């Protein structure tokens, strides 16, 4: 135990903190780098973000199945983080948007390999009644890194450093990630191996409520606006490039503050009420973004950006904890892989469609479509839950 937190959760939290510090030195600046320096449009930004996440999602299922078949979780986590942290800084050498797409794709390959084994490690490290807390703590570490990374980028940009060199400097926290994993993470994963053969991959491995969660999360991912677009939205309203990392850091700070209490609430009140509140908040923010359109003041722009971050964070722990609760032990890696695969695959057409709608009709219509589909997804999920859940199960 470290500070009352199981060692595995604590080490993986620190790893996520450092990895996100490295990643978020780049991510908030990437859409501006693509559009201002490399001449790409919003549709290209959507293509790159959607393809990157879809790639990661397919591999999350693959790595989850490898875990269930007996592959060591630590080895998969090491490979995944290693690939990302070797290739990510090379974005600073890109001379065209295609190279950004390729490197972003390979970075997400690393994410796809590590995510399901990492989540399974966390789920197996704690009892059911503390699982929401464990995932909340991990997500808080992750979001804390997403605060530090943009602040580092802001400091470097303020010193006169070019965007490309900021990207290259991300190699330093990335190196610390690998050292911590190699020397800090326990060598033997606390994921209990089943003595039974791993059943064939099929949708019916999961119970009805878990399938409903995954499908609803997929629908919401289809219309979840990538935060890269919110950066462009704020930049279009006069936010200077140097201030973009600070806005991104503020959004990550909001996530860090929100995710733990909402995750703990899911332990006490049930996963489903927390999910419904969080997903409902997401619809409200998207509707407000559509309503204000180009008329938003700087203050409103900042508030809506931060509110959207809060909405995203409010369900992070509860979603993962519910999967850990409901997935059979023998296929826990597969369950996490299915969840991440469905949500990530939906991100590709969603991000691309959002970018095309923005480019053709403006941001207002794009946000309106996202809000409309979000409320439909929430209504469908509530209907599914009522069909398969008794009050005592909620």
């Amino acid at each position: 135990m470290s500070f009352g937190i199981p060692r595995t959760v604590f080490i993986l939290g620190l790893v996520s903190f450092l990895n996100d510090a490295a990643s978020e030195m780049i991510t908030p600046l990437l859409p501006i780098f693509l559009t201002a320096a490399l001449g790409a449009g919003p549709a290209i930004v959507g293509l790159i973000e959607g393809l990157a996440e879809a790639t990661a999602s397919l591999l999350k299922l693959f790595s989850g199945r490898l875990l269930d078949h007996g592959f060591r979780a630590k080895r998969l986590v090491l490979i995944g983080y290693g690939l990302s942290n070797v290739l990510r800084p090379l974005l600073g050498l890109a001379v065209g948007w295609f190279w950004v797409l390729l490197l972003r794709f390979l970075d997400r390959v690393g994410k796809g390999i590590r995510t399901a084994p990492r989540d399974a490690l966390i789920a197996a490290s704690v009892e059911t009644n503390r699982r929401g807390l464990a995932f909340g703590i991990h997500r808080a570490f992750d979001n804390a890194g997403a605060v530090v990374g943009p602040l580092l980028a802001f400091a470097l940009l303020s010193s006169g450093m070019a965007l490309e060199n900021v990207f290259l400097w991300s190699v330093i926290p990335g190196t610390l990630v690998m050292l911590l994993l190699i020397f800090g993470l326990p060598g033997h994963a606390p994921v209990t191996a089943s003595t039974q053969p791993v059943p064939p991959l099929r949708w019916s491995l999961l119970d009805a409520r878990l399938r409903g969660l995954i499908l609803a999360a997929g629908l919401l991912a289809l219309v979840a606006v990538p935060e890269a677009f919110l950066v462009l939205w704020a930049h279009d309203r006069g936010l200077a490039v140097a201030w973009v990392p600070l806005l991104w850091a503020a959004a990550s700070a909001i996530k860090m503050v929100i995710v733990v209490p909402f995750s703990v609430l899911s332990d006490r009140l049930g996963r489903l009420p927390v999910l419904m509140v969080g997903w409902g908040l997401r619809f409200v923010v998207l509707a407000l973004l559509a309503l204000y359109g180009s008329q938003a003041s700087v203050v409103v722009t900042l508030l809506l950006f931060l509110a959207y971050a809060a909405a995203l964070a409010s369900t992070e722990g509860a979603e993962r904890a519910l999967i850990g609760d409901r997935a059979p032990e023998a296929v826990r890696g597969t369950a996490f892989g299915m969840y991440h695969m469905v949500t990530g695959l939906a991100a590709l057409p969603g991000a691309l469609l959002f970018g095309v709608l923005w480019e053709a009709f403006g941001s207002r219509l794009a946000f309106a479509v996202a809000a409309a589909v979000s409320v439909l997804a929430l209504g469908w999920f509530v209907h599914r839950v009522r069909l398969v859940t008794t009050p005592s199960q909620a």
Side-chain angles (χ1 to χ4, degrees):
M1 301 284 285
S2 301
F3 304 105
I5 306 169
R7 183 181 175 187
T8 296
V9 176
F10 184 71
I11 294 298
L12 288 174
L14 287 177
V15 165
S16 285
F17 169 81
L18 290 167
N19 185 73
D20 256 50
S23 177
E24 303 306 318
M25 289 176 69
I26 296 173
T27 304
L29 299 171
L30 200 56
I32 296 173
F33 178 62
L34 281 164
T35 55
L38 302 182
I44 294 297
V45 174
L47 173 65
I48 290 174
E49 289 301 306
L51 181 61
E53 292 307 317
T55 299
S57 301
L58 284 171
L59 287 170
K60 287 169 188 173
L61 177 58
F62 174 71
S63 65
R65 291 295 287 175
L66 287 179
L67 182 67
D68 291 337
H69 279 282
F71 279 72
R72 287 181 59 190
K74 180 175 178 177
R75 184 172 300 168
L76 292 169
V77 170
L78 269 171
I79 292 171
Y81 278 111
L83 184 62
S84 291
N85 284 288
V86 167
L87 295 175
R88 188 191 299 124
L90 299 180
L91 285 165
L93 304 178
V95 294
W97 67 262
F98 176 78
W99 293 105
V100 173
L101 185 150
L102 178 62
L103 289 169
R104 186 82 169 133
F105 167 83
L106 294 173
D107 174 16
R108 298 294 90 176
V109 167
K111 182 175 182 179
I113 292 172
R114 68 182 181 253
T115 300
R118 183 202 65 205
D119 284 355
L121 280 170
I122 294 170
S125 298
V126 293
E127 303 83 5
T128 300
N129 64 352
R130 299 182 74 233
R131 193 166 281 146
L133 173 63
F135 278 107
I137 288 171
H138 176 263
R139 298 308 301 163
F141 271 112
D142 188 90
N143 288 312
V147 174
V148 171
L151 292 178
L152 291 173
F154 175 76
L156 294 173
L157 288 171
S158 298
S159 71
M161 184 177 289
L163 280 179
E164 296 89 336
N165 292 333
V166 172
F167 295 173
L168 294 173
W169 273 84
S170 69
V171 72
I172 294 176
T175 300
L176 295 176
V177 166
M178 300 312 299
L179 292 174
L180 187 59
L181 278 172
I182 292 169
F183 298 109
L185 188 66
H188 298 288
V191 177
T192 304
S194 174
T195 57
Q196 301 299 319
V198 179
L201 178 62
R202 58 181 185 271
W203 186 234
S204 60
L205 285 175
L206 310 180
D207 69 22
R209 184 168 60 170
L210 197 48
R211 293 198 299 268
L213 166 70
I214 291 173
L215 289 175
L219 281 173
L220 287 166
L222 183 67
V223 291
V225 179
E227 288 169 290
F229 284 113
L230 291 179
V231 168
L232 288 180
W233 187 74
H235 184 56
D236 286 349
R237 280 147 187 80
L239 187 71
V241 172
W243 289 93
V244 167
L246 288 185
L247 178 59
W248 197 274
S252 297
I254 291 290
K255 290 180 180 180
M256 180 179 65
V257 171
I258 289 291
V259 68
V260 172
F262 270 79
S263 299
V264 171
L265 277 177
S266 79
D267 286 335
R268 296 178 179 176
L269 304 180
R271 315 294 184 205
L272 303 180
V274 172
L275 291 177
M276 292 176 192
V277 169
W279 289 348
L281 178 60
R282 193 184 305 187
F283 156 72
V284 170
V285 175
L286 288 172
L288 289 174
L289 285 165
L291 179 65
Y292 277 99
S294 60
Q295 306 302 315
S297 65
V298 173
V299 172
V300 171
T301 297
L302 296 178
L303 289 176
L304 289 177
F305 192 104
L306 297 178
Y308 189 72
L312 293 177
S314 65
T315 61
E316 284 183 344
E319 289 181 19
R320 290 164 173 80
L322 180 57
I323 291 170
D325 294 344
R326 303 295 298 182
E329 188 177 281
V331 291
R332 182 174 281 157
T334 300
F336 277 112
M338 282 186 175
Y339 163 74
H340 288 298
M341 182 192 71
V342 170
T343 55
L345 283 179
L348 174 56
L352 186 57
L353 176 61
F354 190 90
V356 169
L357 287 173
W358 183 322
E359 203 163 301
F361 304 104
S363 61
R364 194 169 207 169
L365 178 65
F367 283 121
V369 171
V373 179
S374 292
V375 76
L376 289 175
L378 178 58
W380 179 84
F381 178 65
V382 170
H383 174 68
R384 287 280 300 179
V385 166
R386 286 176 175 171
L387 289 177
V388 300
T389 307
T390 65
S392 62
Q393 290 176 304

